[in-house]
């Protein structure tokens, strides 16, 4: 029997890590390992029960290697089954640790979606990485659902690619700290079932 197209069948859940100090101040956090704030820990604890309510099918939990993602998964009560470099955040190169206003002092109108990241990762590379991650997740959906615990920009890029849009269209999708989005199907078409769902502790 083919997998169900119902809201409870064949789902990929994207979970962004909880708040960090760098995220609070809008600093681009790619390679740097930073820990959750108290609020971030609260967000992670509260998202666990919220995701339990999704009644996922024996979910495969894959997590970015960054500490903030690992902490979020653990505090949410998820059983981590794989840590995967492919889920790491966008590599911002020389812009690591900088805010957008700071970067725009050098490059007016800069965004990660529309401009290069010198010595970092470009949109074409992120596109390739997204498609790899989604291909692996999709391959599991006959038997089980998948939870991908990662980061803000990369999760938004994953949503864009799932919707068959260019990575640059990730700018259309917000992704708050401690929030999750659910990807699935309707009559065979890939769709975003729910998006940027936050719990009481999120902001």
């Amino acid at each position: 029997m083919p997998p169900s197209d119902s809201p409870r069948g064949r789902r990929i859940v994207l979970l962004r890590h909880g708040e960090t100090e760098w995220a609070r101040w809008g600093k681009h956090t790619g390679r740097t390992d930073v820990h959750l704030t108290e609020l971030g820990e609260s967000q992670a604890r509260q998202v666990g029960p919220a995701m339990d309510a999704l009644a996922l099918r024996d979910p495969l939990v894959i997590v970015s290697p960054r500490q903030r993602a690992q902490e979020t998964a653990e505090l949410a009560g998820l059983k981590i089954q794989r840590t995967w470099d492919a889920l790491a955040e966008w590599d911002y190169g020389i812009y690591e640790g900088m805010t957008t206003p700071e970067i725009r002092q050098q490059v007016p109108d800069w965004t990660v979606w529309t401009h290069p990241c010198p010595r970092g990762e470009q949109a074409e590379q992120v596109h390739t990485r997204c498609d790899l991650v989604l291909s692996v997740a999709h391959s599991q959906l006959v038997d089980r659902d998948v939870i991908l615990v990662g980061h803000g920009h990369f999760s938004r890029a994953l949503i864009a690619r799932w919707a068959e849009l260019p990575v640059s269209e990730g700018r259309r999708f917000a992704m708050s700290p401690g929030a999750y989005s659910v990807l699935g199907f309707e009559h065979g078409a890939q769709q975003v079932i729910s998006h940027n769902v936050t719990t009481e502790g999120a902001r």
Side-chain angles (χ1 to χ4, degrees), residues 62-169:
I62 308 176
V63 184
S64 159
R66 301 294 179 255
Q67 192 63 41
R68 55 197 182 274
Q70 297 280 324
E71 291 173 357
T72 297
E74 291 166 1
L75 290 170
L78 301 176
K79 183 180 178 182
I80 300 173
Q81 290 150 292
R82 180 177 178 184
T83 296
W84 194 15
D85 287 345
L87 270 179
E89 180 60 293
W90 201 305
D91 185 342
Y92 302 115
I94 66 172
Y95 298 143
E96 181 79 3
M98 298 177 66
T99 67
T100 296
E102 289 171 340
I103 299 168
R104 286 182 171 179
Q105 291 177 12
Q106 306 171 24
V107 184
D109 302 321
W110 182 90
T111 74
V112 72
W113 309 107
T114 56
H115 290 67
C117 291
R119 298 205 296 272
E121 203 170 17
Q122 311 312 319
E124 295 80 6
Q125 295 168 294
V126 173
H127 176 122
T128 299
R129 193 152 59 92
C130 284
D131 287 0
L132 170 63
V133 169
L134 291 174
S135 175
V136 169
H138 192 284
S139 72
Q140 302 297 310
L141 294 180
V142 171
D143 300 313
R144 62 198 309 196
D145 295 320
V146 177
I147 300 173
L148 303 175
V149 185
H151 307 272
H153 279 138
F154 191 68
S155 292
R156 294 165 67 185
L158 285 170
I159 294 168
R161 291 303 300 139
W162 183 259
E164 301 178 343
L165 299 170
V167 161
S168 60
E169 292 306 291

